[in-house]
Amino acid sequence: MRRRSFKNKRRQQRKRPKKQEVARQHQEQLKKQQEQEEASRKAAEQAAKEEQGSEEAEIQSLESVKADPSDGPVRENYDLFPQDVYSAYDKIQSFARDLNTQIPVPEIVVVGPRSSGKSSIIEAILGRPFNVVGLGGATKRPLFIQLINNPEAAEPRATLKRDPQMKEFSTDREVPLAELPEAVAGRNTKVSEDPVFLTIEHKNCLNMTIIDTPGLILSASTNESQMIENVVLNLIRPIHRLILAVEPSKEWTQMEMLSFVKRTDQELSRTTFVYTKFHSQLQDFSSTRAVNRFLSGTLPDVKTFFSTLPSSRVRARFRESDKYQEKLWQAYRRDMVLLEQLQYDKRYARTLGIHALRKYLLNLVWRSYQECIPRVLKHLRARRTITEQSLKEVESQLQSLDSSKLRAIASGYAVGFLQVIEQLLEGTSEGNPTVNGQTLEEEKSQQGDADWVDLYNRAIRFDPEDWGIPYWNCKVYGGQQFERLLHEFKAVSDHTEISEVTVDDVATAAGINRLNNIPNYAWAASDLAAQKSQDALVPLIEQLCERAVYIVKRLTDIVEKVMDGRRKKWLPASSPATSMQSAPSQSNANGVSNSSQGGRIDINNIEQYPYFTHHVKDLFYKFVDQTGKICKEKCMDEFLSTRTIYWDLTEHPDSHGSLPIERSDHEDTHAAVRSLSTELFVNLRKRITMNVLLKFYNFFLGPLRTDLWNEIQGKITCLGDEALEQVFEVSATKDKLHEDEKHLQGVIKKLTEQDQLFLDAATQFSHPVVLSGGNVANDA
């Protein structure tokens, strides 16, 4: 026990120095960390002081530049156009929208390496330090800045569009300019090809889109740099986009953007180069020869500019637009002072400064819109020409709308209607069977409860495939549908059996005794066969007639579609007859008619006379009903009287079995009469079915091919002038034509006025009044 306590004491004595050593090391680490933090804090304070000193030195350097007496007010560098130009531009845009004329919006893609000053160039072009990109690093997603002319926006109005990639930005949001940097930075978190859309509305701007791109990493070959290259190349590939290649100014042999841009714009026809941080480069020149040799290093016939912009800290300090523009001008003047001291060649003056670049870009935009003016004017005058043609057409129709014209229209429609009916019965696929045809099941369901029923109204169910009905599952119409119906009737008739023959039927049918006081059972069999065949087949013939009438009547809908399709093929798409059927015309805010032909009456178009087309259909329906009625009456003649059947039976006694002549054996008598009546029923059914089919060909389908033409054409031809005007609703048509005439006259007058207003706006836009400083873009 003593030995164990001694060992524990020795173990504790050995552990105590180790704990003290750990505590000492921990104290030393804390002390070292505190010393490092203090050093970092002092270094940061020193750096901040140096940056503040550098910022102050830059501001002093800018403000020390004296203004040139020949320079006008600084603001005039951003007021290149008078307000009238923007007002005229808004009118031109309004006319283009009203005429459905697309005016392409110029797009400028700004590309360059990281930290080359792309975002700073965009801010300088816009004239406001938005700082929309570069916040917290470089641009990571393409930023589409859409400038929109809005006469009601006295101050710039910024709206960030919904971002499908980020759920928290699922709606458009108007952002105050002061909050715009943080709002854009929230969406600029990782490199992506999905753009951010920002619209800026202002009364003093032309519609254009400036696209800021992620900074290129041309010196590295990583996944990120390759992804950025692909994003930028995809943005500059469309040939309608201008390319603004930005790069820090340095020796020409060290420039990188030329080779990059040539990957999509080999001839550099749409590329402008901008070299930033030019002030640092100027400080390296010591002679006139050196500076002129550098300025002459640009490519011939390729626009190139050199500019210097204040640092980001200076721009952030002077956020008001007037002060910001003043610093831009001072940076430009500082460069010009150095250049003048070096006695540079004045031929390069147009390539110097952000103001020259801005003037050049706005010039391109202005000229692009100026080139669209003739196209808009052409559309406006084409609209007036079309309207004048419509007016002449309306006046001509008013003069020609008489009885002879109506008779020609009526005859033409009737002939076309009957021709299509005949073709559909003979067989043609012009009626589009896939759409307008019916399978056997569709025919029955669309006609309504069209199943075959017997005398007791019980449905006769069967499998059309088992009974051999042709085309039962195919979409057909017209003649083939009629043929299918006849096959179906024959199949149903062939499967119809004689109803039960009872002893009572035999006894009552035999009647009184005939010769030698012997009952005439042959007469009984004949009478039962006649009655049973009539009971079984009359309902089927009636249903056959109803189905046949339905099949022929439904052809009118197909006829309308076929004739409408033919009219569209015959008439060119631009002809007045087709354009007159569009929606009613309306005038927009400028009074320009959106459809000079919309809703007009075309007296040659049969669609203008629905009452007449309904009259033709009604004549057709009545003819079909009457023909079906006559055909059914003819079919009913097939049911022979008992005497006729009995006469035939007695004339050919050997063809039938013997009949009993005694009354004693009722069972034998019943069986014999039932057998003979069944035999007679089968023969009657076969004969009646065949004759009914022949009569439907002869008395139903035949008149549709021969008598229908005379019936409809005769009744239409016999219409008097007064009746003709009624079915064509001539009075209403003339009233509508007079309304169209008056409306078109008003539209032409309005279009003439708009023509002059557009010319005034175009002149105002293309030839603005020169401002006092001469700042009108005219040297692009």
Side-chain angles (χ1 to χ4, degrees):
M1 195 72 178
R2 290 180 179 178
R3 182 177 297 174
R4 185 179 301 170
S5 62
F6 178 76
K7 288 182 178 180
N8 290 337
K9 187 180 294 183
R10 291 286 301 273
R11 188 179 295 112
Q12 292 175 359
Q13 289 176 354
R14 286 196 300 269
K15 287 182 178 179
R16 190 175 297 119
K18 291 182 179 180
K19 289 183 179 179
Q20 292 175 354
E21 180 66 19
V22 170
R24 186 182 63 79
Q25 292 177 357
H26 180 66
Q27 291 292 334
E28 290 179 355
Q29 289 178 354
L30 289 176
K31 184 177 180 181
K32 185 180 292 185
Q33 183 176 358
Q34 290 174 355
E35 290 175 353
Q36 290 177 351
E37 291 177 353
E38 181 67 19
S40 298
R41 185 182 62 79
K42 291 181 179 180
E45 290 178 355
Q46 182 65 27
K49 290 180 180 179
E50 291 177 357
E51 289 181 359
Q52 185 175 3
S54 175
E55 177 184 338
E56 293 297 333
E58 181 180 0
I59 294 174
Q60 291 178 4
S61 173
L62 293 173
E63 292 180 348
S64 64
V65 177
K66 295 182 179 179
D68 193 312
S70 63
D71 296 335
V74 174
R75 182 64 190 175
E76 285 189 3
N77 292 285
Y78 280 87
D79 292 336
L80 295 182
F81 302 110
Q83 181 60 42
D84 291 344
V85 170
Y86 298 108
S87 300
Y89 171 77
D90 179 65
K91 292 179 181 178
I92 292 172
Q93 286 281 17
S94 179
F95 276 109
R97 287 192 300 269
D98 296 340
L99 293 167
N100 295 323
T101 303
Q102 185 68 30
I103 296 182
V105 176
E107 295 182 349
I108 303 173
V109 187
V110 184
V111 299
R114 283 187 177 178
S115 303
S116 59
K118 301 187 306 300
S119 304
S120 303
I121 287 291
I122 293 175
E123 288 180 352
I125 292 172
L126 298 178
R128 287 178 179 271
F130 291 112
N131 290 323
V132 291
V133 282
L135 189 67
T139 305
K140 296 180 175 62
R141 295 174 62 185
L143 176 65
F144 281 63
I145 305 175
Q146 299 169 324
L147 302 180
I148 300 175
N149 177 266
N150 184 354
E152 298 179 358
E155 293 296 326
R157 185 186 303 164
T159 303
L160 274 171
K161 296 296 183 178
R162 61 183 293 272
D163 194 336
Q165 305 302 319
M166 307 180 77
K167 295 181 178 179
E168 59 269 31
F169 304 118
S170 59
T171 58
D172 295 354
R173 185 166 69 93
E174 187 170 337
V175 183
L177 296 182
E179 302 175 10
L180 194 57
E182 291 75 13
V184 174
R187 309 186 187 203
N188 192 39
T189 55
K190 61 180 180 179
V191 176
S192 172
E193 63 180 1
D194 299 315
V196 177
F197 289 94
L198 169 66
T199 63
I200 300 177
E201 302 174 58
H202 194 222
K203 66 176 183 178
N204 291 340
C205 74
L206 304 178
N207 288 4
M208 61 186 295
T209 299
I210 301 177
I211 305 173
D212 195 5
T213 60
L216 296 167
I217 311 176
L218 299 175
S219 59
S221 180
T222 62
N223 292 336
E224 181 183 6
S225 64
Q226 188 61 45
M227 179 180 178
I228 292 175
E229 278 193 29
N230 293 335
V231 170
V232 175
L233 287 172
N234 289 334
L235 288 172
I236 64 176
R237 188 165 287 116
I239 60 174
H240 69 278
R241 287 177 175 170
L242 303 176
I243 303 172
L244 198 63
V246 180
E247 189 173 4
S249 181
K250 50 193 172 184
E251 291 297 327
W252 291 111
T253 56
Q254 300 175 7
M255 299 295 187
E256 301 173 301
M257 288 306 298
L258 177 62
S259 59
F260 178 82
V261 171
K262 277 193 171 184
R263 292 165 67 178
T264 56
D265 185 18
Q266 186 67 32
E267 297 180 357
L268 302 177
S269 58
R270 53 191 180 92
T271 300
T272 299
F273 290 95
V274 180
Y275 297 103
T276 59
K277 304 176 183 179
F278 185 49
H279 186 70
S280 300
Q281 183 77 11
L282 282 178
Q283 292 176 334
D284 295 337
F285 297 134
S286 58
S287 65
T288 303
R289 182 179 179 183
V291 68
N292 287 334
R293 183 171 54 188
F294 176 80
L295 292 176
S296 64
T298 59
L299 296 173
D301 301 325
V302 177
K303 275 293 182 180
T304 306
F305 294 90
F306 303 90
S307 70
T308 300
L309 301 177
S311 65
S312 58
R313 286 184 172 273
V314 173
R315 297 199 307 272
R317 183 169 174 178
F318 297 94
R319 298 183 63 87
E320 296 82 1
S321 60
D322 292 342
K323 293 182 179 180
Y324 172 71
Q325 293 170 15
E326 183 182 10
K327 295 306 172 192
L328 291 177
W329 181 252
Q330 290 174 349
Y332 163 71
R333 286 301 310 158
R334 185 178 58 181
D335 289 348
M336 294 305 297
V337 169
L338 287 177
L339 287 167
E340 288 167 358
Q341 290 175 355
L342 293 169
Q343 298 180 353
Y344 79 107
D345 192 337
K346 296 297 180 67
R347 291 179 301 172
Y348 304 113
R350 288 188 175 184
T351 66
L352 302 174
I354 189 64
H355 306 93
L357 170 64
R358 185 176 186 274
K359 186 176 181 181
Y360 166 73
L361 293 177
L362 291 183
N363 233 321
L364 292 179
V365 175
W366 178 65
R367 289 188 181 277
S368 70
Y369 285 118
Q370 192 178 20
E371 292 170 357
C372 293
I373 289 176
R375 180 153 51 92
V376 178
L377 181 60
K378 179 180 178 181
H379 285 200
L380 179 62
R381 290 180 173 173
R383 179 64 55 82
R384 186 175 66 180
T385 301
I386 294 174
T387 307
E388 290 172 347
Q389 292 175 352
S390 299
L391 178 59
K392 291 179 181 179
E393 180 69 21
V394 169
E395 293 172 346
S396 174
Q397 291 182 55
L398 274 171
Q399 295 176 359
S400 63
L401 190 58
D402 52 19
S403 59
S404 60
K405 181 70 173 179
L406 296 178
R407 290 189 188 279
I409 295 173
S411 178
Y413 175 76
V415 169
F417 179 89
L418 294 171
Q419 284 178 343
V420 178
I421 288 287
E422 184 176 7
Q423 290 174 0
L424 295 176
L425 291 174
E426 292 291 339
T428 178
S429 62
E430 189 177 4
N432 194 355
T434 304
V435 176
N436 300 313
Q438 292 178 332
T439 63
L440 185 58
E441 183 180 358
E442 290 172 345
E443 176 187 333
K444 292 180 177 181
S445 70
Q446 292 182 26
Q447 184 185 359
D449 196 16
D451 282 329
W452 297 94
V453 295
D454 59 14
L455 174 64
Y456 304 104
N457 206 32
R458 294 175 300 192
I460 302 173
R461 308 289 185 183
F462 60 91
D463 187 342
E465 187 174 9
D466 292 342
W467 282 16
I469 310 299
Y471 303 111
W472 63 273
N473 60 343
C474 297
K475 289 178 172 289
V476 293
Y477 52 68
Q480 189 54 249
Q481 191 173 8
F482 180 76
E483 286 283 349
R484 184 177 65 188
L485 173 64
L486 295 185
H487 280 86
E488 186 184 6
F489 167 77
K490 184 177 183 303
V492 173
S493 179
D494 289 346
H495 287 81
T496 300
E497 303 293 340
I498 188 171
S499 60
E500 183 182 0
V501 178
T502 64
V503 176
D504 297 337
D505 293 334
V506 174
T508 54
I512 61 175
N513 295 338
R514 300 298 196 274
L515 297 174
N516 301 322
N517 201 29
I518 298 175
N520 194 341
Y521 291 111
W523 176 272
S526 300
D527 183 68
L528 287 171
Q531 293 301 321
K532 296 294 184 180
S533 63
Q534 190 168 353
D535 292 343
L537 299 179
V538 166
L540 300 183
I541 294 173
E542 290 176 343
Q543 293 171 74
L544 173 62
C545 187
E546 291 175 2
R547 292 270 298 277
V549 168
Y550 163 76
I551 287 172
V552 175
K553 280 187 175 181
R554 70 179 293 268
L555 293 180
T556 56
D557 294 334
I558 305 176
V559 169
E560 281 189 349
K561 295 177 182 179
V562 171
M563 296 181 70
D564 185 58
R566 289 179 178 180
R567 281 194 297 271
K568 291 178 179 178
K569 290 180 181 178
W570 293 337
L571 292 176
S574 60
S575 68
T578 54
S579 58
M580 287 178 183
Q581 305 310 313
S582 58
S585 63
Q586 296 178 351
S587 295
N588 48 48
N590 287 322
V592 178
S593 174
N594 289 329
S595 177
S596 62
Q597 299 285 358
R600 304 283 176 265
I601 290 289
D602 176 18
I603 63 172
N604 296 305
N605 192 339
I606 197 64
E607 293 181 3
Q608 298 290 340
Y609 312 107
Y611 189 74
F612 171 73
T613 57
H614 177 75
H615 177 69
V616 174
K617 292 179 187 177
D618 186 58
L619 292 176
F620 176 72
Y621 292 154
K622 288 179 179 178
F623 180 84
V624 173
D625 287 335
Q626 182 64 22
T627 304
K629 181 180 178 182
I630 294 173
C631 183
K632 184 170 69 172
E633 291 174 353
K634 296 289 185 181
C635 291
M636 294 306 172
D637 293 342
E638 292 300 319
F639 294 98
L640 303 178
S641 65
T642 302
R643 189 172 302 277
T644 303
I645 299 172
Y646 176 75
W647 175 82
D648 181 69
L649 180 61
T650 55
E651 284 292 316
H652 306 87
D654 296 337
S655 60
H656 305 286
S658 61
L659 289 172
I661 58 175
E662 298 292 338
R663 289 174 177 263
S664 56
D665 191 351
H666 297 297
E667 291 297 329
D668 184 50
T669 300
H670 174 236
V673 172
R674 182 179 58 190
S675 176
L676 181 56
S677 61
T678 300
E679 181 183 349
L680 292 173
F681 175 85
V682 171
N683 293 334
L684 288 172
R685 183 190 65 192
K686 182 177 180 181
R687 180 185 58 78
I688 292 171
T689 300
M690 181 175 294
N691 290 342
V692 166
L693 295 178
L694 291 175
K695 287 188 175 182
F696 262 84
Y697 279 117
N698 189 38
F699 296 107
F700 186 77
L701 190 59
L704 289 173
R705 293 175 172 176
T706 56
D707 300 340
L708 179 61
W709 279 78
N710 295 332
E711 178 72 14
I712 293 182
Q713 279 283 54
K715 289 188 175 181
I716 291 177
T717 304
C718 292
L719 286 174
D721 291 348
E722 184 176 350
L724 201 61
E725 290 186 0
Q726 287 180 354
V727 295
F728 274 92
E729 299 177 295
V730 172
S731 177
T733 302
K734 286 186 176 181
D735 290 342
K736 184 66 169 65
L737 286 171
H738 283 300
E739 290 179 7
D740 290 345
E741 182 182 30
K742 183 178 179 181
H743 173 74
L744 290 172
Q745 289 172 348
V747 170
I748 291 174
K749 180 180 179 182
K750 195 71 176 179
L751 287 171
T752 303
E753 296 173 356
Q754 295 302 322
D755 188 296
Q756 186 58 48
L757 290 175
F758 180 82
L759 287 176
D760 293 343
T763 302
Q764 199 173 43
F765 180 80
S766 302
H767 306 285
V769 178
V770 180
L771 298 176
S772 58
N775 287 325
V776 172
N778 56 7
D779 58 349

